[in-house]
Every structure is written in C-alpha cells, then in structure tokens.
Amino acid sequence: MKLKIAVLAGDGIGPEITQQSIKVLKAIADRFDHEFEFEDAIVGAAAIDLLDNPLPEATLDLCKKSDAVLFGAIGHPKYDNNPDAKVRPEQGLLKLRKELGLFANIRPVTTYAKLIDQSPLRPERIQGADLTIFRELTGGIYFGEKSTSEDGQSATDICTYSVEEIERMAHLAFKAAQQRRKKLTLVDKANVLETSRLWRKTVKKIAEDYQDVALDFLFVDNAAMQMILNPKQFDVILTENMFGDIISDEASVIGGSIGLLASASVGGDNAMFEPIHGSYPQATGKGIANPVASILSAAMLLDHFGLVEEGDVIRKAVATSIKLNVCTEDINKDNPYSTEKVGDFLEGLISESE
Amino acid sequence: MKLKIAVLAGDGIGPEITQQSIKVLKAIADRFDHEFEFEDAIVGAAAIDLLDNPLPEATLDLCKKSDAVLFGAIGHPKYDNNPDAKVRPEQGLLKLRKELGLFANIRPVTTYAKLIDQSPLRPERIQGADLTIFRELTGGIYFGEKSTSEDGQSATDICTYSVEEIERMAHLAFKAAQQRRKKLTLVDKANVLETSRLWRKTVKKIAEDYQDVALDFLFVDNAAMQMILNPKQFDVILTENMFGDIISDEASVIGGSIGLLASASVGGDNAMFEPIHGSYPQATGKGIANPVASILSAAMLLDHFGLVEEGDVIRKAVATSIKLNVCTEDINKDNPYSTEKVGDFLEGLISESE
Ligand SMILES: [Mg+2]
Ligand SMILES: [Mg+2]
C-alpha cells in the first residue's frame, strides 16, 4: 500500500517521540512491502514562533492532501502560562480537527501485566481489561450555541445531535466491535435527555446491520461506576462528546500507564493519530520521553487503512519490550533506556521477526 | 430542640432499616434532651397499591409541615419490571423533591479502615479519603427544555443556570467546608461551557465571604480521573446537576462500602435524608439489610439542624460497630448480626456513652 503521511511533530517531546514512530513505520513498510511517504510540517508553539499562527495554511494543506496525519504533541509554557497570549498552541489542534472534519475520537485502553502495580485499581479488577472508546468529537453541548442573558443573571448551553452525526459514529464503532470481542456498549442518559434518546433509537436501528455484535446500554453515571468496579466488562464503548470526554479520561487512568495510550481522530476523508499525553516540555531533548504512546498511535494508523496485521506486529513488539523492561525511565526506573534506544529496539524486533 | 420528623419508610427494606434510624434518633433525643416527634406516611409502591398514587396528598402535606423527612427507599419489581406500568414508585420521589424544593443533594463519602479491602482501589489510594459532594439537583440540562425536530432527524436539550441557583448552592457548600477541612473544589467545564463560566464567576464572588475556605477548580473530565488517582485531595466538591450525578456515583464506589452511604436533599424550607441504596426487594423482611446508611442519614438530619455533636455521636457509634464487626452479612459474612441487632447495638452505644 502507498500512504502519504503528514508528520506534525509539534512541541516539547513531540519531535523526539514522533521520530521513533517514523522509524517503526519504515520498518513495517520494509517488511510488508508498503510505500510510506513522510512529509513534515510545523504546528503549535513552533508555528507561532515562526509565523504567529499555530496552524499555518501550508500545514493544513499538507494534511488535507495526505492520507493521514501523524501528530506529536503541542503546548509550550511560554504561551500556556501567559494569560495575555492571544494565540495558543492548542488552537492549532482544535482548528486542525475541525478543518479535517475529524468527528470521531478513538481511545483504546490496554493493560500490561508488568505495569499492573502502577494502576490505582486492585490487580484483580484491572488485569486483562481491554476496551476502546468511540467518542463523538464535533457535536453536542461543547459545540452548541452558548449565551448569557443581557443582565448577566443566567447562562445557557445547547446540546444538539442529528441522526446523521450519530449514524456515522455508530457504524465506526460497530465495525470496530466486529474486529474485537463483538460487544458494544452505548453510554447515554436516555432516561433524562432527549439527545440520548435519539442516540439510543438510532444506534438500535443500526445494530440491525451488525447482528454479530451484542449491543447494550449504560447510563453515564452508572458507566462512571462500572469503569472502576469492573472495566473488564467493556469491549467497545460508544458515546457522545461530553460523556466521552469524561469517561475516556476516567478510563485513561485505570490501567496505570497513561503515558502509553494512543488515540485516533477520524473523519470522512482524513484521520489523525496521536498519543494522548502532552508535550511534556521539561523533558524535551533529554532522551527520557516514552515513545510508546506515539508508536501505538502509528499502529492505529495502520489499522485505519486495513493493515491490521501490521498494526498487530507493532503492538506485539511493544508488549515484548515492556515484558523485557526495554523501557524509558517512567517505567524502568533502575536501568532506563533512552527514547531512541526504545525506538531502535522496536524497529529491530519488527525487522527481525520477518 | 423540638423536631417534627415525617417518616416515609417506603418499599422493600425501607421500613426495617428506617426503624433502626428511629431507634437511634430516640436514643439521641433521650441523651441530649431533645423532643423528636415521628409521624409515618406512605410513599412509593406501597402508596400505589393503596391509592394508585406514589405520593399521596396526605403524605406531601405531612412532609411540608414537618421539619424534616426521613426517607427509606422506594421501588418494587412489580412496577419497575413492567414496561406498561403507568405510575412508577420513583415518580413519588421525584415529585417529592420537586414539591419540597430540594435543590441540593449532599453525599458524603467516608472510608472505614476495616472495609478498605472491599474497595476497588488500592488501599494506599483510598485509605483516609473523606469527602462530600454538593450536587445541584433541580436545574441544568436534566430539567431544561427538550425537543425533537418535526422530521425526527435531530434532538436538543438545553442547559440553563441562573446566578441565584448557583449562589444558594455555593453558600451551602462553603458553610459545609468551614465545618470540615476548609477546602472547596468547584467541578465544571469552564473552558467550554457558558453555564460553567457562570458557575465559576459566581462561586468566585461568593468565596470572598468565606476567606477561610480555600477554593480551587477542576474540569469535570479531570475530576473523573482525580477521583480514582487521589480521592484524598478532596474535601467539599461543589458542582452542577449532571456533573454531580456522574461524579457522585463514581465517588460512591471508591470506598467499597456503597451500602453504607447516606445522603441529604436540602431546600430552603425542607430537607430530606435517605440512604443512597435502593429498596433491595429480595432482602425484604429477612433481617439481613444493613441499616447503617439510613442511620448515617439520620446523623445528617441532626447536622442539618446544627446538632453536629449529636450527629458525631452516631457516626462514632457506627465506626465502633464496624470496628467490632457488629455488622450485617454484607460486611460480616462469618457471624452476621441482624438488621435489628445492629440497630440495638448502636442504640446501646449511644445511650451508654452518656
Ligand atoms: Mg478531556
Ligand atoms: Mg446517578
């Protein structure tokens, strides 16, 4: 397969971790005879420094004409901690998502036996949990009309969803469930909210096309409990924007390895892949940043284009590296490997196992 | 102090647990020379059976003219599992809250060293956590206008808050913080929602009247993480209706003793006190129901009228009973005490320690 990949490494540790992902993707291309073409563009604080714009036109153009975007991280204290800053790095990311029409955010939560002691949950609760959350990203109350009354005495936010917005999400989530354990849980608040009732009705209808997937429903308050009590019950979770924000952040900490979590943001014509962690500016250039979240987001990129076997090769290599403690200092405190060495090791595993 | 207390024991285990709370309150009245007058009224499934109305007028009248309502639990499978049921027990509770103007829901989460192994969290994370959540109960998106477009292709929910609704909540929460560890955390999503910005602005202003309370802010998605990662950081949490629903349910499971949690719903002129657990119909009449959540809600009733010393006497007695394993079978599996025996033991402790 031929893929044109825009690389937006961004700020802080973004460039050094993204470099390892490219290394790993190149090893995959070699092994499976694909042609991946990488092109860099600036974004975030780096772009503000140069062009006073966190998402320059040239960067957006490149993303639009590429098959996928590999994103590092953005954010820099000189803007983030300055309340007078007019342009902020994060605006680049929000605008990019919007311009590319990325309506679905996908966040897998995987656990590694070796890291189970870092989880805030008891081992028996979390061991073996493996779920993925499909969060609608461009609708709902976060993007609805907002207003304050003229006298300043009341404020309003409007939450709206259309059948179309729900359908395109549901199809993505059902398809993912078919590739996994064939279970889909819709998280909503259908006993109270009209939008939730529309979600439930629409998702039930679409479920008819995916008879092999078991569909169930959970109110968001109950979901927040179940994520702690028994996360192993979940396979694919589908939910609207705000509930997804809350539940996916909650889910991100139960495994104890938030630094290893990848994400995808997917639209009709575009897709972007990034670690969920930030730019971690204080670690920049020290070779201590963990590249695994970025590398796992590269694996999601491959999945997205149907290269699931290739994605699995990366995930297996990562599992091996963690088992062997070939890890950066956040995981391997006693004998840490550098960012680059971890990338090299994974590259080697992927090439070797041909 | 003279208090007229309406007793709405309700369905399932409601009557047997509420009976223990009355016993304990009577022991308090004796010891501290108060006059508590109790009057029973029917509610829930019991009231539907008799009068086809889950909240009969006479019950509502009694509640209105009483100082406080001691509530047991409602819900019965013959209505809950029947999709054709026109009146449901829960409607009685919702109507009661509305009619009494109970705008604040208060839920303390306490941990007991003896029960720490029942928590889904690792002991070091949860040990010593002691927080209380103030959730706005009558506003926000749950009670906003709802609509579906004529063609059925989109749905809308509206979230509105007024300064007045926020102020009355904030005063309650700040006052509670003054009686506790003097920390208040407002949970909102002020980076996105207009209503959250109104909450933040209003709460900041009111904070000026409570200089001894440290105020901080947390976005709801981050709060959902922090509740798992480090629940000990919280003292009083203040939040709007839907965020409070999610965060308080999440918080209810971290201690591992959801069956022991009490709650208060407070308005300008009325207040109601109830366990957060349900009517547990399958345990009815077996003497196995844990009365502690109800008894702790009776302690909250005392607090509400400024009888904090009296409330503390109950809480200390409960802590002692748990330490000594004088507990029902949900906690003491090997040598369980009956519902009534636990009530008797607590009554005895309270009377003795005079
Ligand atoms: Mg978030
Ligand atoms: Mg709830």
Side-chain angles (χ1 to χ4, degrees):
Chain A
M1 185 178 278
K2 252 180 145 165
L3 287 177
K4 188 173 162 61
I5 299 169
V7 178
L8 275 58
D11 305 320
I13 60 168
E16 52 202 287
I17 57 167
T18 307
Q19 214 41 57
Q20 311 314 313
S21 300
I22 293 172
K23 205 185 276 174
V24 160
L25 284 171
K26 282 181 175 165
I28 290 285
D30 276 354
R31 173 166 164 191
F32 291 89
D33 241 352
H34 298 305
E35 228 177 282
F36 300 158
E37 185 195 322
F38 299 93
E39 191 171 339
D40 291 314
I42 56 170
V43 70
I48 298 177
D49 288 347
L50 272 172
L51 300 167
D52 216 33
N53 180 355
L55 182 67
E57 274 306 310
T59 298
L60 181 58
D61 284 349
L62 173 70
C63 292
K64 282 185 176 169
K65 66 179 199 227
S66 300
D67 296 302
V69 180
L70 191 63
F71 197 92
I74 49 177
H76 192 284
K78 81 176 150 185
Y79 299 106
D80 298 343
N81 299 337
N82 173 7
D84 297 325
K86 273 186 201 106
V87 265
R88 290 173 188 283
E90 287 68 24
Q91 293 167 347
L93 181 57
L94 293 177
K95 192 175 170 202
L96 187 57
R97 281 184 187 152
K98 201 180 158 188
E99 291 282 340
L100 297 181
L102 307 177
F103 61 79
N105 187 248
I106 307 166
R107 282 220 211 161
V109 174
T110 320
T111 49
Y112 298 94
K114 192 134 193 301
L115 304 181
I116 223 71
D117 286 344
Q118 297 186 23
S119 167
L121 299 191
R122 287 175 175 276
E124 69 275 15
R125 303 260 182 174
I126 185 67
Q127 185 92 269
D130 175 14
L131 60 103
T132 188
I133 300 174
F134 280 69
R135 166 190 173 191
E136 204 286 330
L137 202 56
T138 56
I141 198 167
Y142 286 3
F143 289 91
E145 208 181 293
K146 287 149 197 10
S147 59
T148 295
S149 63
E150 265 183 39
D151 61 3
Q153 290 301 299
S154 81
T156 294
D157 294 283
I158 298 183
C159 179
T160 300
Y161 268 108
S162 71
V163 168
E164 197 194 332
E165 287 173 303
I166 300 166
E167 281 178 344
R168 63 188 185 182
M169 280 300 300
H171 284 297
L172 282 181
F174 274 110
K175 281 183 185 128
Q178 285 182 320
Q179 302 298 321
R180 293 175 46 101
R181 300 195 311 279
K182 300 189 170 46
K183 186 179 169 191
L184 191 150
T185 303
L186 177 66
V187 168
D188 64 22
K189 189 73 183 179
N191 54 341
V192 181
L193 299 181
E194 194 78 0
T195 45
S196 283
R197 286 187 278 266
L198 189 64
W199 270 86
R200 204 171 270 216
K201 196 173 136 190
T202 306
V203 169
K204 268 184 186 165
K205 212 167 182 177
I206 287 176
E208 293 166 16
D209 299 343
Y210 301 89
Q211 300 278 353
D212 53 335
V213 176
L215 171 65
D216 66 0
F217 306 94
L218 212 53
F219 295 140
V220 60
D221 47 336
N222 192 9
M225 295 200 270
Q226 296 303 323
M227 190 59 74
I228 306 175
L229 290 174
N230 180 18
K232 284 183 257 189
Q233 74 187 279
F234 297 116
D235 180 16
V236 175
I237 290 176
L238 168 64
T239 191
E240 59 101 76
N241 197 348
M242 188 171 70
F243 296 158
D245 185 16
I246 299 170
I247 295 295
S248 68
D249 279 343
E250 182 185 356
S252 72
V253 300
I254 59 173
S257 45
I258 189 165
L260 303 185
L261 298 183
S263 77
S265 298
V266 170
D269 302 317
N270 287 283
M272 186 162 87
F273 303 87
E274 56 177 315
I276 74 164
H277 63 64
S279 61
Y280 197 16
Q282 61 277 35
T284 309
K286 294 188 181 159
I288 59 172
N290 192 333
V292 165
S294 175
I295 289 168
L296 289 173
S297 66
M300 292 183 81
L301 185 157
L302 298 172
D303 294 347
H304 181 72
F305 292 100
L307 308 178
V308 178
E309 192 194 336
E310 288 84 336
D312 282 342
V313 165
I314 295 183
R315 282 181 286 267
K316 265 180 210 147
V318 164
T320 302
S321 73
I322 291 173
K323 212 156 134 191
L324 297 175
N325 219 2
V326 180
C327 298
T328 44
E329 64 171 35
D330 49 313
I331 291 174
N332 181 349
K333 276 160 197 71
D334 297 329
N335 182 25
Y337 287 67
S338 72
T339 308
E340 205 183 340
K341 284 274 181 283
V342 171
D344 291 345
F345 182 77
L346 292 169
E347 179 193 30
L349 276 183
I350 291 164
S351 307
E352 259 170 37
S353 49
E354 283 188 63
Chain B
M1 186 179 280
K2 250 181 147 166
L3 286 177
K4 188 173 163 58
I5 300 169
V7 178
L8 274 58
D11 305 321
I13 59 169
E16 50 202 288
I17 56 168
T18 307
Q19 213 41 56
Q20 311 315 313
S21 299
I22 293 172
K23 205 186 277 177
V24 161
L25 284 172
K26 282 181 176 164
I28 290 286
D30 277 355
R31 174 166 162 190
F32 290 89
D33 241 350
H34 299 306
E35 227 176 283
F36 300 157
E37 185 194 323
F38 299 93
E39 191 170 338
D40 290 314
I42 57 170
V43 72
I48 298 177
D49 287 347
L50 272 172
L51 300 166
D52 217 33
N53 179 354
L55 182 67
E57 274 307 309
T59 299
L60 181 58
D61 284 348
L62 174 69
C63 292
K64 281 185 175 167
K65 66 177 200 226
S66 300
D67 296 301
V69 180
L70 190 63
F71 196 92
I74 51 177
H76 191 283
K78 79 176 152 184
Y79 299 106
D80 297 343
N81 298 338
N82 174 6
D84 298 324
K86 274 186 201 106
V87 265
R88 288 172 190 283
E90 287 68 23
Q91 293 168 345
L93 181 56
L94 293 176
K95 192 176 171 201
L96 186 58
R97 281 185 187 151
K98 204 183 154 187
E99 291 282 340
L100 297 181
L102 306 177
F103 60 80
N105 186 248
I106 307 166
R107 281 220 213 161
V109 174
T110 320
T111 50
Y112 298 94
K114 190 128 194 305
L115 304 181
I116 223 70
D117 286 343
Q118 297 187 22
S119 168
L121 299 191
R122 285 175 177 276
E124 68 275 17
R125 303 260 181 174
I126 186 67
Q127 185 93 269
D130 175 14
L131 60 103
T132 189
I133 299 175
F134 279 69
R135 166 189 172 192
E136 203 287 329
L137 202 55
T138 56
I141 198 166
Y142 286 3
F143 289 91
E145 208 181 293
K146 287 150 197 8
S147 59
T148 295
S149 64
E150 266 183 39
D151 62 2
Q153 290 301 297
S154 79
T156 295
D157 295 283
I158 298 183
C159 179
T160 300
Y161 269 108
S162 70
V163 168
E164 196 193 332
E165 287 173 303
I166 300 167
E167 281 177 346
R168 62 188 185 181
M169 279 300 301
H171 283 297
L172 281 181
F174 274 110
K175 281 184 185 131
Q178 285 181 322
Q179 302 298 320
R180 294 176 46 101
R181 300 196 310 280
K182 299 187 171 44
K183 185 178 169 191
L184 192 151
T185 302
L186 177 66
V187 169
D188 64 23
K189 190 73 183 178
N191 53 341
V192 181
L193 300 180
E194 194 79 2
T195 44
S196 283
R197 286 187 278 265
L198 189 64
W199 270 86
R200 203 171 270 216
K201 196 173 135 191
T202 306
V203 168
K204 268 184 187 166
K205 211 167 184 177
I206 287 176
E208 293 166 15
D209 300 343
Y210 301 90
Q211 300 278 355
D212 53 336
V213 176
L215 171 65
D216 67 1
F217 306 95
L218 212 53
F219 295 141
V220 60
D221 47 337
N222 192 9
M225 295 200 269
Q226 296 303 323
M227 189 59 74
I228 305 175
L229 290 173
N230 180 17
K232 284 183 257 188
Q233 74 188 281
F234 296 117
D235 180 17
V236 175
I237 290 177
L238 168 64
T239 191
E240 60 101 77
N241 197 347
M242 189 171 68
F243 296 159
D245 185 16
I246 299 170
I247 295 296
S248 68
D249 279 344
E250 183 187 356
S252 73
V253 300
I254 58 173
S257 45
I258 190 167
L260 303 185
L261 298 183
S263 78
S265 296
V266 169
D269 301 317
N270 287 284
M272 186 162 87
F273 303 87
E274 55 177 318
I276 74 164
H277 63 64
S279 59
Y280 198 16
Q282 60 279 33
T284 310
K286 294 188 181 159
I288 58 174
N290 192 332
V292 165
S294 175
I295 289 168
L296 288 173
S297 65
M300 293 184 79
L301 185 157
L302 298 173
D303 292 348
H304 180 73
F305 292 100
L307 309 178
V308 179
E309 191 192 337
E310 287 85 336
D312 281 343
V313 165
I314 294 181
R315 282 182 287 268
K316 266 180 210 147
V318 164
T320 302
S321 72
I322 290 172
K323 212 156 134 193
L324 297 176
N325 219 1
V326 181
C327 297
T328 44
E329 63 171 36
D330 50 312
I331 291 175
N332 182 349
K333 274 158 199 72
D334 297 329
N335 183 25
Y337 287 66
S338 72
T339 308
E340 204 182 340
K341 282 276 180 284
V342 172
D344 290 345
F345 182 77
L346 292 169
E347 180 192 29
L349 276 183
I350 290 164
S351 306
E352 261 171 36
S353 48
E354 281 186 68

